[in-house]
Amino acid sequence: MFFVLGLSTAALGAALPSLRRIYDLPDQDGGWLVSAYNLGALAAILICGLGSRRLSQRIALRTLLALFTCGAIAMGVVGTWPVFCIATVLAGAGYGGLTLYLNSIVARHSSDDSFSILSRINAVFGVGAILGPLAVSAADTHARAVFLVAGVLAPLGIGVDKLEQPSKSRVPPSKATTFRTHRRVVVVFFALGFLYAGLETGIGASEATHLDRVGHTAVTAARIASLFWVGLCIGRFLIPTLARTQAPRRIVRLSLVAATGSLLAAAHPPIAPIAYAACGFFLAPVLPAVLKWIAQTMEDNQLANALLFTASMTGSVVLPALVDVLTRRSPARSIPLSIACISITAIATTFLIPRLLQSGTSIAASSANGVSPDS
């Protein structure tokens, strides 16, 4: 299932230059399509998150799988641009809901080694994401066929509705904190998820456009764009082993710093393909490490994960669209530089979380001892 989700998600950004030609769109139009896909994902996450106690997990998973299947197949066969956009939103809804459910289930079943296991299952997503742009480049003017294939393969994941959802958190209460104690920490984690998702999705949505604008053909740009997902996939297999003993916050910070450097390097056209691949490698451990960080911090990590994925989908909708608007009439190098600004902001948020945790713990201890924080 993760493979199919990765295939369609990565293919969408890489297919933009070809889709503009297929539907006879202006050269800079359609950049918001990835945001529309993620808008559907965001809507599904909000519905699934807010209604998690009322919705049957099996029914929800089957419904989401049906949405993704129908949307992806429609993307592969429809002949008009408006209908293609509607199908994209439907496929995005299925993608978002399935991502939330599957990551949350795996994280809670494997809390003792969540970083490694989450990294590996997201590496499978990365394998699909590698093949997506490569398939788009091979299909050329038939790029929509990639979405048709994803839709046909998706029903093979029907078994996901049999996964069991644990009812209780495995985080030791003595080490966990509640939302009431750390409201500000939740907000910063939300901001970090928002920024990271915008960073990853922004690269996936804009890389092929950037390469197209600096002189590569649409086919070559789509092929090169797969290197980012190659780096992401390799990193998710290798880095958990290399960084097993490192604290999650250290992994997140170092990864974001290295990714920022890679994006700055991507502003130079001769080394842009290698720089994007390196950026994918360095970003690989960020999401699994953030999920582990939350699990070590929050008592209700299921709710925290729902909030994180809500933030992620919000960032995936807003930030790529913002990058598209800001760079549409700017030099090509403004694309990676704008995305680098998102990465720098994400780095800043990682330094806020420990301070807020320490502050919140002090306030909670004072309250428990009957001492007013303001006394």
Side-chain angles (χ1 to χ4, degrees):
M1 195 67 242
F2 278 93
F3 171 82
V4 175
L5 295 176
L7 180 74
S8 61
T9 302
L12 187 57
L16 283 176
S18 296
L19 291 173
R20 292 186 184 107
R21 292 166 176 78
I22 293 171
Y23 291 105
D24 195 25
L25 303 176
D27 288 343
Q28 305 303 324
D29 201 6
W32 49 267
L33 188 64
V34 175
S35 291
Y37 181 82
N38 288 295
L39 183 62
L42 173 60
I45 284 180
L46 288 172
I47 293 171
C48 293
L50 294 175
S52 59
R53 296 182 180 180
R54 299 179 181 179
L55 296 174
S56 164
Q57 178 182 288
R58 177 167 295 186
I59 294 174
L61 284 170
R62 288 185 176 181
T63 301
L64 292 165
L65 185 60
L67 281 175
F68 178 83
T69 299
C70 294
I73 290 175
M75 290 170 71
V77 299
V78 297
T80 63
W81 176 245
V83 179
F84 183 91
C85 295
I86 294 171
T88 299
V89 174
L90 292 177
Y95 157 72
L98 289 169
T99 299
L100 171 62
Y101 270 105
L102 297 179
N103 274 284
S104 296
I105 291 170
V106 172
R108 300 197 70 198
H109 270 295
S110 56
S111 57
D112 294 335
D113 195 22
S114 58
F115 177 51
S116 297
I117 296 176
L118 285 167
S119 293
R120 293 189 184 105
I121 64 170
N122 281 281
V124 175
F125 178 96
V127 172
I130 292 168
L131 295 180
L134 291 176
V136 167
S137 67
D140 195 7
T141 57
H142 301 286
R144 293 180 302 171
V146 177
F147 305 112
L148 178 60
V149 170
V152 171
L153 292 177
L156 297 177
I158 189 65
V160 299
D161 66 343
K162 298 179 182 179
L163 294 173
E164 295 181 1
Q165 177 71 50
S167 59
K168 296 182 181 180
S169 173
R170 298 185 181 182
V171 182
S174 60
K175 295 184 179 180
T177 56
T178 63
F179 287 102
R180 180 174 297 179
T181 304
H182 289 301
R183 290 189 182 95
R184 291 179 297 173
V185 177
V186 174
V187 171
V188 179
F189 270 126
F190 191 97
L192 182 58
F194 175 87
L195 293 165
Y196 170 74
L199 177 61
E200 181 180 310
T201 308
I203 295 171
S206 303
E207 180 185 358
T209 299
H210 173 226
L211 295 171
D212 187 46
R213 288 173 63 179
V214 297
H216 296 279
T217 65
V219 172
T220 302
R223 186 179 297 118
I224 294 174
S226 69
L227 294 177
F228 169 74
W229 302 101
V230 170
L232 199 69
C233 181
I234 293 174
R236 283 180 174 157
F237 278 118
L238 294 182
I239 292 179
T241 301
L242 301 175
R244 186 181 297 273
T245 60
Q246 298 296 317
R249 65 181 181 184
R250 181 177 175 82
I251 295 171
V252 173
R253 287 173 187 166
L254 292 177
S255 298
L256 289 172
V257 168
T260 302
S262 300
L263 286 167
L264 295 176
H268 304 280
I271 61 173
I274 296 175
Y276 279 122
C279 187
F281 180 83
F282 292 129
L283 287 177
V286 174
L287 180 59
V290 170
L291 289 170
K292 182 178 180 180
W293 196 355
I294 289 175
Q296 292 178 348
T297 303
M298 308 305 299
E299 181 179 352
D300 190 349
N301 68 313
Q302 181 180 3
L303 179 56
N305 287 343
L307 289 173
L308 180 71
F309 282 108
T310 299
S312 297
M313 289 304 164
T314 306
S316 296
V317 171
V318 174
L319 293 179
L322 181 61
V323 169
D324 178 61
V325 170
L326 293 176
T327 61
R328 185 172 297 179
R329 292 178 174 82
S330 302
R333 65 177 179 274
S334 66
I335 293 177
L337 294 179
S338 296
I339 300 173
C341 291
I342 299 173
S343 183
I344 292 170
T345 307
I347 294 169
T349 65
T350 66
F351 287 92
L352 288 175
I353 294 172
R355 293 186 179 184
L356 293 174
L357 281 171
Q358 186 175 7
S359 174
T361 302
S362 299
I363 293 173
S366 298
S367 300
N369 292 328
V371 179
S372 172
D374 299 325
S375 62

